[in-house]
Amino acid sequence: MRLLVGILAIAALLLISAFAHGTTSGLEQDINAGTGEPPDLLMKLAGLTASIGVLLVPVAFAIERLIKRDGLRIADGVLAAVLAHGVTLATDLWVAKAAPESIQDALTQPSPGDINSLTDPVHGYLAPVIAYMTAVGMSRRPRWRVVLLVVLLLEAFTMLVSGNTTPFSIILTVLIGWTVAYGTLYAVGSPNVQPTGQTLLAGLRHVGFRPVSAAREESGDASDQDNRGRRYFVTLEDGPPLDVTVIDREQQAQGFFYRVWRRLTLRGITQRRSLQSLRQALEQEALLAYAAIAAGANAPKLIATSELGPDAVILVYEHTGGRSLDSLPDAALTDELLCDTWRQVKALQSRRIAHRRLAGDAILVDRSGTVILTDLRGGEIAAGDLVLRMDIAQLLTAFGLRVGAERAVATAVEVLGPDAVADCLPLLQPIALTRSTRGTLRKRARERAQRERDAVLEASRKAKAARTEAESAEGAEGAEGAEGAQSAEATPAATTAAATTAATAPATSAAPAAEGTEATVTPDPATTRADDPIAVRKTEPIAARTADPTAARRTETVHPRKSLRAEKQAEKQAIDEALEQAREEDLLTQIRHQVLLIRPTAPVEPAQLERIRPRTLISFIAGAFGAYFLLSQLTHIDFGTIFGEAEWGWVAAAVAFSALSYFAAAMSLLGFVPERVPFLRAVSAQVAGSFVKIVAPAAVGGVALNTRFLQRSGVRSGLAVASVGASQLFGLGSHILLLLIFGYVTGTQKTPTLTPSRTVIAGLLTVAVLVLVVTAIPFLRKFVVTRVRSLFAGVVPRMLDVLQRPQKLLTGIGGMLLLTFLFVLCLDASVRAFASEEMGTLSLASVAVVFLAGNALGSAAPTPGGVGAVEATLTFGLIAVGVPKDVAAPAVLLYRLLTLWLPVLPGWLFFNHLTRKGLL
């Protein structure tokens, strides 16, 4: 895997060198300008130190390995160094003879000593040293790794500052050495640093035991293997069996980056040193084992320690037996067992000892039911209050996952007291828990979310079924009513007969009225004549008297719309009720509620444990990239020309059009969101998008930000994605349609046209052939259809919701058209700000075609904000439609300054403001 990653990294570096010549040359210029002319004496001292260190450190490590009879590893390193040197020579020859000129410029530069010669593309001695270091496994030895890393960095820095290399050459050198080393290890095999069974038995004999056999105990959680070590059950010729823990260098390297990250991001929490030797690991675990027993807690008794060759150590404990808490069934977790566990934790905390990993697999229950705390390797003596409270919060969560929040809190309060439990509430947050516990909580959260989704789907299905049954019932009643009306019209004499019958049977006429029936009105027979047309008219059914065809059509037109709206409202209410019933509190919230019932005044505000959050770090890195791109673009702008020749009236108009575009963008988004979202808040999100699109591709950053904004505004995740997808789909359609319309208008005005080149035509034909091939092959067709269907699965239902609100739909479509029109006007005003009298007139349709083509290419470009692609397309497009080059270049720079670069600062401010408010 690492070999493949190295090869792909080398290929990516060469591609960047070949196609991003401007970036590579600009980076070299920035480095040269930043370093300046360093003191000559300092450079000589640094170069001498680095040269000596690069030679001595590998030799010293080889001598140390040979003394410990580890010559096979040194042989692998020497072989990797020889192969790396050969690859270096081959790469130098290829770059000098056959590589493209852009790659040569990226990997070489004129030599400071001889202006007619070039520097080496790959360093002939650094690559073998790196290959040797990687192959011998020096990276798994903390002190050797640090020393050699400092030496290599110093050597690279001196060569870079002195002008003897380029940044891309250094990166390529490191990648070649790293890749060749792993290729060598893949070919010849990597030596196993894990001690064998015979080595383990020999080590036990060395400390006075007479072992018979050793069996490996499998760990249930591989992610915590670096904290647990490898465990063996050892039987002896005489005496009880032993529990042996083996810690080797390979385990020491596991979790290195995670520990570094925790040390950097968490404040006020002591973490185990990331660069810890085997001797330090052995001493720490032995110290914690003795301290725990001295504190009165039940812990495994350590009886011996020893080195096990150059790459491992062993700790020998008395055999405890028993089962871990994770392996016990829920019925076996009695309150007495939980209280006994809390008593062991209380004993540790009475001597200021923190366990730091009170998970279920670290708690053993022996055959007599006694609780034993194991895995003390990551613990801490003389611990602070914060770390001790973290232990309580961790064990509360671990017990809550098994027996529920109520029993976990009750047993903790019974042993520790309410104050100690209440004090841990600020630490009851995922960042303070172990990795395995956080993983279990995330799994529970996914299951809880799945149950909520199932409840919503079930409620929606029942609502639709009820609506279908109601429609079927209404259809049946309507059919019966139509048959009755047809029979009444077919027998005109039925009216007279009904009146005569009513006259002879007056008693029956009151019955329908008493029941509230409105179908027939029967007058008094004493005042009604059978041949009176008015009386007969009164006896007709009301539905028959009001059977006006026009009124019926109006009723049928209005009634379905109202009923459909009512049905949608009823379905939404049923879904909301089902969601409310299915919603469950997470475990940490349940624990807080249980503690607050016992101690209402307990502090609940979470402690600020994170020194820096991942989101803040990403924002900082993104801001750094954005600032770099911004400064690199602004350095190429001739401000003297812009301020000296610009017509400020048109510049002000361009600024106004650029500012109004954010309101149009908000309209285009909210038009596809049936839910109520504040308009000004949406405008703020679009301004924040100005910062996001400068640090991410234009087609990615805006979609992610709008989706996140809608979710934070109360729109459900699926509906938010569907709304943004519908907006993007309509935007794509309108963009293509406008491009065709304005292209046609431009052609009819006899202005220079944007005739596609043969390359473009060939590309279009290639795309057409690929589409035909995909549609012709069933497997490919099914694959594409499945992906597209999953992508737009929620768009069509969302559009049906929007279509029921024509005002919303008009707002969305109008916002899209207005957004495009404002950008076209901004570009047109930028052109007119620098236009001369000799240029002539330029139609707005031509500017629109240029903008639409440039915007389409910018959306497809992988660079942030379409940097480079948009500028080139707009410039060449304006020149193609008749704009002089001296006008097109500053016009495009002004347009991009107003629409891309200047909004970065307010976009960053709005982004941070919305983030603090919880709206992003």
Side-chain angles (χ1 to χ4, degrees):
M1 183 62 184
R2 295 178 180 178
L3 174 63
L4 180 60
V5 170
I7 295 174
L8 293 178
I10 293 174
L13 181 68
L14 295 178
L15 287 176
I16 293 174
S17 303
F19 296 103
H21 177 66
T23 302
T24 57
S25 60
L27 183 60
E28 293 175 10
Q29 294 174 4
D30 292 342
I31 292 176
N32 293 331
T35 54
E37 292 293 335
D40 184 64
L41 179 61
L42 179 62
M43 291 302 301
K44 287 182 179 179
L45 290 176
L48 180 63
T49 304
S51 300
I52 295 176
V54 166
L55 294 176
L56 289 184
V57 172
V59 173
F61 181 78
I63 294 174
E64 189 259 351
R65 288 291 92 195
L66 291 175
I67 291 175
K68 294 189 176 182
R69 299 181 180 181
D70 195 11
L72 183 60
R73 193 189 303 274
I74 301 302
D76 292 342
V78 172
L79 178 60
V82 171
L83 294 178
H85 184 67
V87 174
T88 299
L89 296 177
T91 305
D92 289 345
L93 183 63
W94 173 75
V95 172
K97 301 295 183 181
E101 185 177 354
S102 58
I103 294 181
Q104 293 181 1
D105 294 338
L107 298 177
T108 61
Q109 64 180 8
S111 176
D114 185 3
I115 195 66
N116 296 320
S117 63
L118 299 176
T119 58
D120 294 333
V122 183
H123 301 284
Y125 64 93
L126 277 185
V129 170
I130 293 172
Y132 170 85
M133 176 189 72
T134 307
V136 299
M138 192 181 293
S139 60
R140 293 192 291 267
R141 286 152 178 83
R143 288 193 175 89
W144 286 103
R145 176 180 58 203
V146 171
V147 171
L148 188 56
L149 186 61
V150 170
V151 169
L152 291 178
L153 289 176
L154 186 61
E155 176 70 14
F157 175 75
T158 54
M159 295 189 65
L160 190 64
V161 172
S162 61
N164 288 306
T165 188
T166 66
F168 281 84
S169 175
I170 293 177
I171 298 174
L172 182 61
T173 300
V174 174
L175 291 176
I176 287 178
W178 192 66
T179 305
V180 171
Y182 282 112
T184 304
L185 294 178
Y186 180 78
V188 303
S190 176
N192 185 14
V193 299
Q194 298 182 11
T196 62
Q198 295 299 325
T199 306
L200 175 61
L201 297 180
L204 290 173
R205 294 189 186 97
H206 182 69
V207 291
F209 297 101
R210 291 187 292 177
V212 176
S213 64
R216 172 78 179 273
E217 296 180 0
E218 295 296 332
S219 174
D221 189 358
S223 64
D224 289 324
Q225 191 64 246
D226 58 313
N227 287 327
R228 298 175 58 86
R230 295 185 179 89
R231 294 180 171 180
Y232 294 86
F233 175 75
V234 178
T235 57
L236 303 178
E237 292 181 1
D238 51 349
L242 304 174
D243 289 331
V244 179
T245 299
V246 178
I247 305 174
D248 56 46
R249 297 193 183 278
E250 189 172 295
Q251 283 183 301
Q252 286 293 98
Q254 292 179 1
F256 170 76
F257 293 106
Y258 174 74
R259 293 193 296 271
V260 170
W261 173 253
R262 298 276 289 188
R263 289 183 67 90
L264 291 175
T265 56
L266 296 184
R267 66 174 72 189
I269 300 175
T270 305
Q271 282 288 118
R272 177 163 65 91
R273 290 181 54 184
S274 301
L275 302 176
Q276 193 179 38
S277 66
L278 285 174
R279 169 70 61 177
Q280 290 172 336
L282 174 67
E283 292 173 350
Q284 181 180 6
E285 184 165 349
L287 176 61
L288 265 297
Y290 291 137
I293 294 177
N298 296 329
K301 184 178 181 180
L302 181 66
I303 56 178
T305 60
S306 176
E307 288 188 350
L308 201 63
D311 295 316
V313 295
I314 58 173
L315 297 99
V316 184
Y317 294 93
E318 289 184 355
H319 179 63
T320 56
R323 301 169 61 185
S324 67
L325 202 68
D326 284 344
S327 62
L328 293 177
D330 293 341
L333 301 181
T334 62
D335 289 347
E336 179 59 31
L337 180 63
L338 301 183
C339 290
D340 191 12
T341 307
W342 284 116
R343 280 190 284 270
Q344 307 310 314
V345 174
K346 184 178 181 180
L348 290 179
Q349 299 207 348
S350 66
R351 301 295 178 87
R352 313 295 295 181
I353 300 173
H355 189 284
R356 301 301 302 273
R357 216 187 72 81
L358 285 171
D361 56 350
I363 302 172
L364 294 182
V365 181
D366 64 10
R367 297 179 180 84
S368 62
T370 303
V371 174
I372 303 173
L373 300 181
T374 64
D375 296 339
L376 291 165
R377 178 184 173 193
E380 183 178 335
I381 61 172
D385 291 337
L386 191 67
V387 180
L388 296 177
R389 293 170 185 172
M390 286 178 62
D391 270 358
I392 299 176
Q394 163 62 34
L395 191 56
L396 272 176
T397 308
F399 281 164
L401 289 171
R402 295 296 307 274
V403 301
E406 184 177 358
R407 288 182 60 193
V409 173
T411 53
V413 170
E414 180 180 346
V415 176
L416 302 179
D419 293 335
V421 178
D423 290 340
C424 80
L425 286 189
L427 282 306
L428 201 64
Q429 47 184 306
I431 191 66
L433 306 177
T434 63
R435 297 178 73 177
S436 59
T437 305
R438 292 200 302 270
T440 306
L441 289 176
R442 285 193 295 268
K443 181 181 178 182
R444 291 281 187 93
R446 289 193 297 267
E447 295 173 352
R448 188 169 58 251
Q450 183 61 42
R451 287 193 295 270
E452 292 178 359
R453 285 193 294 269
D454 293 342
V456 170
L457 294 176
E458 181 65 19
S460 178
R461 186 189 63 80
K462 290 182 178 179
K464 290 178 180 179
R467 185 171 59 189
T468 303
E469 293 178 0
E471 291 175 354
S472 301
E474 290 177 1
E477 292 177 359
E480 293 176 0
E483 292 177 359
Q486 291 176 0
S487 62
E489 293 176 359
T491 57
T495 303
T496 305
T500 305
T501 305
T504 57
T508 61
S509 62
E515 297 173 4
T517 306
E518 299 179 359
T520 305
V521 178
T522 308
D524 188 0
T527 59
T528 303
R529 292 173 49 193
D531 57 347
D532 186 358
I534 298 177
V536 174
R537 174 76 172 174
K538 291 181 180 179
T539 60
E540 292 179 0
I542 293 176
R545 296 205 312 266
T546 60
D548 181 18
T550 305
R553 283 194 298 271
R554 285 199 304 267
T555 304
E556 292 174 357
T557 303
V558 176
H559 177 68
R561 185 180 301 171
K562 290 184 177 180
S563 62
L564 183 60
R565 186 178 303 171
E567 290 167 356
K568 284 286 185 181
Q569 188 67 23
E571 182 179 353
K572 181 180 180 182
Q573 183 178 359
I575 292 176
D576 292 340
E577 291 177 354
L579 183 60
E580 186 66 27
Q581 294 176 359
R583 186 172 286 116
E584 305 173 14
E585 289 184 338
D586 63 278
L587 177 63
L588 300 184
T589 304
Q590 295 177 22
I591 294 176
R592 292 190 190 97
H593 289 170
Q594 291 297 325
V595 176
L596 290 176
L597 291 176
I598 300 171
R599 184 71 73 200
T601 59
V604 294
E605 185 69 22
Q608 187 63 35
L609 298 178
E610 292 178 292
R611 181 180 291 112
I612 179 173
R613 295 186 178 185
R615 181 185 300 178
T616 305
L617 183 61
I618 293 173
S619 178
F620 177 78
I621 296 174
F625 275 106
Y628 179 79
F629 279 115
L630 176 61
L631 295 176
S632 63
Q633 287 291 317
L634 293 180
T635 54
H636 300 293
I637 296 178
D638 187 358
F639 288 99
T641 302
I642 291 180
F643 288 102
E645 301 179 2
E647 295 186 15
W648 291 101
W650 285 112
V651 173
V655 172
F657 294 142
S658 176
L660 291 175
S661 65
Y662 296 103
F663 293 89
M667 293 172 57
S668 65
L669 173 65
L670 298 184
F672 296 92
V673 182
E675 291 82 4
R676 186 175 181 81
V677 178
F679 179 73
L680 292 180
R681 188 182 296 172
V683 175
S684 301
Q686 303 312 306
V687 178
S690 302
F691 166 70
V692 174
K693 71 180 180 182
I694 202 62
V695 295
V700 177
V703 172
L705 183 135
N706 287 330
T707 304
R708 180 70 173 175
F709 168 71
L710 292 179
Q711 291 175 352
R712 289 293 190 176
S713 298
V715 182
R716 289 199 295 267
S717 298
L719 299 181
V721 174
S723 294
V724 176
S727 176
Q728 293 292 317
L729 185 61
F730 265 79
L732 176 63
S734 64
H735 196 95
I736 296 175
L737 182 61
L738 290 174
L739 185 60
L740 294 176
I741 293 174
F742 283 115
Y744 174 77
V745 173
T746 302
T748 58
Q749 291 178 343
K750 298 182 180 180
T751 58
T753 59
L754 296 175
T755 305
S757 62
R758 293 183 179 181
T759 304
V760 175
I761 295 176
L764 293 176
L765 291 177
T766 303
V767 171
V769 171
L770 290 176
V771 171
L772 292 176
V773 170
V774 169
T775 55
I777 300 177
F779 171 74
L780 294 178
R781 183 173 64 247
K782 182 179 179 181
F783 177 81
V784 173
V785 169
T786 303
R787 294 300 183 274
V788 173
R789 184 179 299 169
S790 62
L791 182 63
F792 295 101
V795 174
V796 176
R798 196 60 165 167
M799 288 309 305
L800 294 178
D801 293 340
V802 174
L803 288 175
Q804 297 177 17
R805 297 173 175 83
Q807 184 179 0
K808 280 280 188 180
L809 185 61
L810 291 177
T811 301
I813 297 177
M816 288 180 182
L817 298 178
L818 180 60
L819 179 63
T820 303
F821 186 61
L822 288 173
F823 277 132
V824 171
L825 290 178
C826 183
L827 180 59
D828 183 72
S830 301
V831 173
R832 296 181 188 278
F834 298 96
S836 59
E837 297 179 356
E838 295 81 8
M839 192 186 77
T841 59
L842 180 66
S843 68
L844 192 63
S846 301
V847 178
V849 171
V850 173
F851 163 75
L852 292 170
N855 190 49
L857 189 58
S859 299
T863 57
V867 173
V870 175
E871 286 84 353
T873 305
L874 293 180
T875 302
F876 290 128
L878 289 176
I879 294 174
V881 297
V883 179
K885 181 179 180 180
D886 296 337
V887 176
V892 171
L893 290 178
L894 176 61
Y895 169 76
R896 293 290 280 172
L897 188 67
L898 296 178
T899 59
L900 181 65
W901 298 115
L902 286 182
V904 169
L905 179 57
W908 180 75
L909 295 176
F910 274 91
F911 182 84
N912 285 302
H913 172 72
L914 294 176
T915 302
R916 287 195 302 269
K917 295 292 186 180
L919 300 176
L920 281 181

